[in-house]
Amino acid sequence: MTSPEIKFSSDKTTLTYFLSGSWTTQELASVITQVSSPKSSNETGADNVVRVFDLKAVEIMDTAGALYFLQYKEGIEGTGGKTSLKSVPKHVRQILDTVQKHRIKECPPENSLVGLKKLLTDTGESFFKTITQVQELVAFLGLVLVAFARQMTNPKRIRWTPLVAQMEQIGIHALPIVGLISFLIGVVLAFQGAGQLERFGAQIFTINLVAVGVLREMGILLTAIIVAGRSGSAFTAQLGTMKVNEEIDAMRTIGLDPIDVLVLPRILGLMLVLPLLTFYADIMGILGGAAMTMLTLDLSFYQYVRYLQDAASLGDFWVGIIKAPIFAFIIALIGCHEGLQVSRSAESVGRQTTRSVVEAIFFVIVLDALLSILFSVMGI
């Protein structure tokens, strides 16, 4: 293949561009260098001169060469020049027509009104998409409640083996991470609280801070967030993979209800286990606070326990425990719902798993804030 080349020939009314060689991706560098150099005196002229492109000697042209030629030609037209084609071989004409038809031209810059319209359009689409997702979640909630009522009226329908297996996966296997995080949070609360209360000579109230903070809020909130990231995502990934492998469709074909077989054991298992995990997290958080308090306040463990009895009440403990089954239901419901929304691709499994964790944590935090306000108004 020969390198592409452009030669010029001019008279009073016409400037002719003679194109030759191979206008391909590999050879374009030479012609780009040629047209980027100072223009030939033959190429300059009056504005009324017609530029004629003679393509008779072009051996081969691919899409890159055609695109570059069209852009070069349109650049001349953009300055007010007139152009025309001459002696175009059939194969070159075909590639030029194809590229001209399918190429994407540069879009005009957006003005403020277009940008505002796009912003409003995106906002509206996001709003209606959110409404649709809420409707789907409410519909799924209805299916779960109906299936739950059906099992409660006929306990023989409860699948005990999957229920116990889920309780083991959710509860026992989560003990190390829940215990470690709760213990460290107790340490942090005690350390930060002692540092601030020392200014007022009230370091002893660090025990109150740890006890009330862990029992009412931090114990259940951290446990729910950990479970949402660990078990909620697992629910979505498991059900999503089954959806991709068409196992759920096969289950429906043989007359099994996926809500009874897959969803309810996970929801009931998490509702039974999360209060126990919360109790465990409370104990570990108080122990972490005890370790740091004994170091900073020079108290014995026995003295810490005695102060703890006055610092926290049984009501503080029950406030945290009451939230646990509510959070568990929300986490499991969202995890299972997003798993069943997976389409038949691995990418969808990852996308829905991420959405499951984000939605579950969001709803847990919002619900925790609402319950805290409600308990405060009620004087609990």
Side-chain angles (χ1 to χ4, degrees):
M1 293 188 296
T2 58
S3 299
E5 188 177 5
I6 301 179
K7 295 182 179 180
F8 307 98
S9 176
S10 64
D11 54 32
K12 294 182 179 180
T13 59
T14 305
L15 175 61
T16 304
Y17 295 70
F18 294 95
L19 279 65
S20 62
S22 301
W23 287 64
T24 60
T25 305
Q26 295 84 353
E27 304 293 337
L28 277 180
S30 59
V31 74
I32 292 175
T33 302
Q34 180 182 352
V35 299
S36 298
S37 61
K39 304 299 182 183
S40 169
S41 60
N42 292 329
E43 190 178 355
T44 60
D47 293 340
N48 58 355
V49 173
V50 178
R51 273 76 169 177
V52 178
F53 292 91
D54 189 328
L55 282 69
K56 181 178 180 180
V58 175
E59 300 173 3
I60 186 173
M61 180 179 284
D62 62 7
T63 54
L67 180 62
Y68 180 77
F69 169 71
L70 290 173
Q71 291 175 339
Y72 181 69
K73 175 173 170 290
E74 291 173 358
I76 296 175
E77 295 172 349
T79 60
K82 300 178 181 179
T83 64
S84 64
L85 300 181
K86 176 183 176 182
S87 302
V88 183
K90 182 179 180 180
H91 65 280
V92 176
R93 171 68 68 182
Q94 290 176 343
I95 192 66
L96 287 175
D97 291 344
T98 301
V99 172
Q100 181 67 28
K101 180 180 179 181
H102 295 285
R103 74 192 184 102
I104 301 175
K105 295 185 178 181
E106 183 178 358
C107 297
E110 293 187 353
N111 55 37
S112 58
L113 291 179
V114 175
L116 178 61
K117 181 179 178 181
K118 184 177 184 301
L119 175 62
L120 294 176
T121 301
D122 293 343
T123 303
E125 289 178 352
S126 300
F127 175 76
F128 285 109
K129 186 181 294 184
T130 302
I131 293 298
T132 302
Q133 292 174 353
V134 171
Q135 290 175 341
E136 293 175 350
L137 186 61
V138 172
F140 183 71
L141 172 63
L143 292 175
V144 170
L145 293 179
V146 170
F148 182 75
R150 191 166 54 236
Q151 286 194 357
M152 291 300 100
T153 55
N154 186 9
K156 292 182 180 180
R157 298 177 62 94
I158 300 177
R159 297 178 177 272
W160 295 103
T161 301
L163 177 60
V164 174
Q166 291 297 329
M167 292 176 66
E168 179 185 3
Q169 289 290 331
I170 300 166
I172 297 177
H173 294 174
L175 289 177
I177 183 65
V178 171
L180 177 61
I181 296 298
S182 300
F183 183 87
L184 294 177
I185 287 298
V187 170
V188 171
L189 281 177
F191 180 76
Q192 296 295 334
Q196 296 300 316
L197 293 173
E198 185 179 5
R199 301 179 181 181
F200 310 99
Q203 299 96 317
I204 194 64
F205 290 105
T206 303
I207 301 175
N208 299 62
L209 174 65
V210 172
V212 175
V214 169
L215 293 177
R216 294 182 69 97
E217 294 294 336
M218 301 305 295
I220 175 58
L221 188 59
L222 287 173
T223 304
I225 291 175
I226 293 170
V227 169
R230 185 181 179 277
S231 300
S233 61
F235 292 167
T236 304
Q238 291 164 359
L239 298 184
T241 304
M242 295 179 69
K243 186 81 175 292
V244 172
N245 294 334
E246 301 183 352
E247 296 176 46
I248 294 180
D249 294 336
M251 192 176 295
R252 290 194 178 101
T253 302
I254 62 177
L256 295 176
D257 186 359
I259 302 296
D260 286 335
V261 178
L262 300 175
V263 176
L264 283 183
R266 288 172 167 80
I267 293 179
L268 293 176
L270 189 54
M271 290 180 68
L272 292 173
V273 165
L274 193 57
L276 300 177
L277 283 176
T278 302
F279 175 75
Y280 172 69
D282 291 343
I283 297 299
M284 295 302 296
I286 290 174
L287 289 178
M292 182 53 64
T293 302
M294 287 187 292
L295 290 175
T296 56
L297 302 184
D298 195 22
L299 294 177
S300 67
F301 184 75
Y302 175 73
Q303 291 174 312
Y304 177 83
V305 172
R306 288 198 57 184
Y307 280 115
L308 185 64
Q309 293 175 352
D310 298 328
S313 64
L314 194 60
D316 296 324
F317 169 76
W318 284 113
V319 165
I321 296 297
I322 289 172
K323 297 178 184 178
I326 302 174
F327 291 172
F329 182 81
I330 294 295
I331 293 169
L333 183 74
I334 292 175
C336 294
H337 173 257
E338 295 298 340
L340 294 176
Q341 295 298 311
V342 169
S343 59
R344 304 189 187 282
S345 67
E347 179 187 2
S348 179
V349 175
R351 182 173 59 253
Q352 297 302 122
T353 301
T354 303
R355 180 178 297 176
S356 167
V357 175
V358 173
E359 289 181 358
I361 294 177
F362 172 78
F363 279 108
V364 163
I365 294 175
V366 170
L367 192 57
D368 180 70
L370 294 177
L371 289 175
S372 297
I373 296 172
L374 177 63
F375 291 147
S376 177
V377 172
M378 296 174 61
I380 299 176

